[in-house]
């Protein structure tokens, strides 16, 4: 929202994938993530999307002109880690949400 309103110079999404059990990934989400998920070596790489991939995944409800403007303004290579986590969250038995020592509320009731 901050980036969309033009109130920031740069914006970074951190761990934007849902946690285990939230919702299964629909086929359209897997298709949008296929440029990253198609190569396991992309797990820790910054992967750019082509304009067509960006248009399908993020700008499919706007005009062609606005989609090109959005791509030029907001499309940046991003880590594939959250996509791999989201794609495997519902089948990985080790992704239970548990408080950790780094969590500020760990140990509190």
């Amino acid at each position: 929202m901050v980036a969309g309103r033009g109130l920031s110079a740069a914006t970074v999404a951190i761990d934007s994938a849902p946690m285990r059990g939230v919702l299964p990934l629909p086929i359209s989400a897997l298709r949008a993530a296929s440029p990253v998920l198609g190569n396991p070596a992309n797990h820790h790489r910054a992967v750019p999307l082509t304009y067509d991939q960006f248009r399908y995944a993020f700008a499919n409800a706007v005009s062609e002109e606005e989609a090109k403007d959005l791509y030029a303004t907001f499309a940046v290579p991003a880590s594939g880690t959250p996509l791999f986590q989201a794609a495997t969250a519902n089948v990985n038995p080790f992704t239970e949400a548990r408080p950790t020592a780094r969590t500020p509320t760990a140990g509190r009731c």
Side-chain angles (χ1 to χ4, degrees):
M1 288 174 51
V2 172
R5 292 178 182 159
L7 301 174
S8 66
T11 307
V12 177
I14 300 173
D15 285 338
S16 57
M19 291 184 276
R20 179 177 182 220
V22 174
L23 290 174
L25 282 174
I27 298 299
S28 61
L30 290 173
R31 180 175 173 215
S34 65
V36 176
L37 296 175
N39 182 355
N42 290 336
H43 191 284
H44 293 291
R45 289 185 186 158
V47 181
L49 296 179
T50 66
Y51 169 75
D52 291 331
Q53 293 164 341
F54 179 85
R55 174 99 169 129
Y56 176 83
F58 300 104
N60 54 24
V62 298
S63 68
E64 186 76 19
E65 183 179 317
E66 186 176 357
K68 287 180 181 179
D69 184 46
L70 290 171
Y71 181 75
T73 305
F74 296 113
V76 294
S79 170
T81 300
L83 292 174
F84 280 93
Q85 290 171 344
T88 60
N90 287 316
V91 296
N92 186 346
F94 302 107
T95 58
E96 293 289 333
R98 293 186 291 270
T100 63
R102 296 183 319 192
T103 305
T105 59
R108 294 187 202 165
C109 293

